[in-house]
Amino acid sequence: MVDDETTIRLALSRFLRTRGFEVEVAESGTAALEALQRQRFSLMLCDLRMPGLSGLEVVPKALLADQDLGIIMLTAVNDATSATEALSNGAFDYLTKPVELPDLQAAVERAMLRRMRTMERRAVDRMIREEVALRTLQLEREKGALREMTVSVAETLINAMEAKDLYLRGHSQRVAELGAAIAAELGEPDYMVELVHTAGRLHDVGKIGIRESVLNKNGPLTAEEFAHVKDHVQIGLEILQPLHHLGEALHFIRDHHEHWDGGGYPFGRAGTDISLGGRILTAADAFDALTSKRAYRDPMSAGTTLEYLGTQVERLLEPRVYQALTVVIARGVEGLPRL
């Protein structure tokens, strides 16, 4: 009970005690806030006009100390506007002086009921948020496990495909590592780096559908054979398309043979129409292909490869992706040739 008039404090507190309430009194707003720091209260009856802190100033400070506190304002008849302002700041109700005791009891009972309902609603909201957060975490874990299982199954196909050609073994893993390193060098967030890594591991899964005679051919490909090889992108997408949880990684796989100038395949995308992950994988794939031994040629050194790819900037590669590639190779990536 907060009021600077002693008679009012005593009269109202005495009445409330007869109705079974424990009551503490405070002669000012400052004293009331100090009491709220010491212990917890269900309800505060607070005069609107007091020396020092006014009731309007006390309300937000009191609710900051205890958001569950119910507040009833006491005001003179001509202060209804101020009382309404107090309600907008969080007070439950207001009574005009002189206070009729039956009105006081009814207001207190209403405020206590409202406080209880507010606390229950807040508790329910908190439980819902906690349940949603827990379920979201579980779904993310399940999604991660599903993604990893999917990648594992797809890698089994890739390993089977790479086993057909000695020169392809480890290619997908190297592209994944190099692509992730390039994405990190570009300042992409962790989730993007992980997506590029996943796409790198899966980017050649479609080669499982390419004829061995073409994959292992010791010499240049005919136009028909090259067209057949290009089919591996579409075949890979058809294999992976049902796996929607792979998200943007599917776009990166789709775009890993697109060229910055639009001369790539399968869709002839150009510039920023190519997904960033696709642009990164193009660079990683090209670097690993050129530095790996093939049946028809020896591997190129890292330095020679970077020099050659430098001539392909604005054609095959985006300039900033090429720049990131040179930084990454200079720094070194495990399993890849160094400068």
Side-chain angles (χ1 to χ4, degrees), residues 5-54:
E5 296 184 42
T6 304
T7 55
I8 293 178
R9 289 201 309 272
L10 292 176
L12 297 187
S13 62
R14 185 180 299 119
F15 171 76
L16 290 171
R17 289 189 183 102
T18 66
R19 294 300 184 268
F21 293 100
E22 294 181 35
V23 183
E24 183 169 331
V25 296
E27 71 282 0
S28 68
T30 300
L33 294 176
E34 290 174 353
L36 285 168
Q37 295 298 325
R38 291 194 304 270
Q39 70 182 90
R40 192 174 171 87
F41 295 86
S42 299
L43 197 64
M44 179 175 73
L45 280 79
C46 185
D47 189 22
L48 194 62
R49 292 186 179 274
M50 296 181 291
L53 286 177
S54 70

Side-chain angles (χ1 to χ4, degrees), residues 19-145:
R19 294 300 184 268
F21 293 100
E22 294 181 35
V23 183
E24 183 169 331
V25 296
E27 71 282 0
S28 68
T30 300
L33 294 176
E34 290 174 353
L36 285 168
Q37 295 298 325
R38 291 194 304 270
Q39 70 182 90
R40 192 174 171 87
F41 295 86
S42 299
L43 197 64
M44 179 175 73
L45 280 79
C46 185
D47 189 22
L48 194 62
R49 292 186 179 274
M50 296 181 291
L53 286 177
S54 70
L56 279 177
E57 294 172 306
V58 170
V59 170
K61 294 178 184 295
L63 290 174
L64 189 62
D66 182 356
Q67 65 174 349
D68 294 325
L69 181 68
I71 301 176
I72 299 174
M73 306 303 296
L74 303 177
T75 178
V77 174
N78 61 351
D79 265 345
T81 302
S82 298
T84 302
E85 185 177 347
L87 294 179
S88 68
N89 287 339
F92 281 3
D93 203 351
Y94 73 92
L95 297 170
T96 56
K97 297 178 181 179
V99 178
E100 297 292 335
L101 295 182
D103 292 341
L104 173 62
Q105 181 172 347
V108 167
E109 290 174 352
R110 286 196 306 271
M112 294 293 281
L113 180 61
R114 179 176 170 182
R115 174 179 180 270
M116 180 183 69
R117 288 174 175 170
T118 300
M119 291 175 66
E120 289 175 347
R121 184 174 64 250
R122 190 175 290 125
V124 170
D125 288 344
R126 184 173 59 253
M127 286 189 293
I128 290 173
R129 286 196 301 272
E130 290 173 353
E131 180 64 26
V132 169
L134 178 61
R135 186 58 184 149
T136 299
L137 180 60
Q138 291 174 338
L139 286 173
E140 285 301 318
R141 287 174 177 169
E142 291 170 4
K143 186 177 179 180

Side-chain angles (χ1 to χ4, degrees), residues 308-325:
Y308 169 73
L309 291 177
T311 68
Q312 300 302 306
V313 173
E314 299 281 8
R315 296 171 62 190
L316 174 67
L317 304 179
E318 178 188 6
R320 70 187 186 108
V321 171
Y322 172 75
Q323 186 59 41
L325 171 66

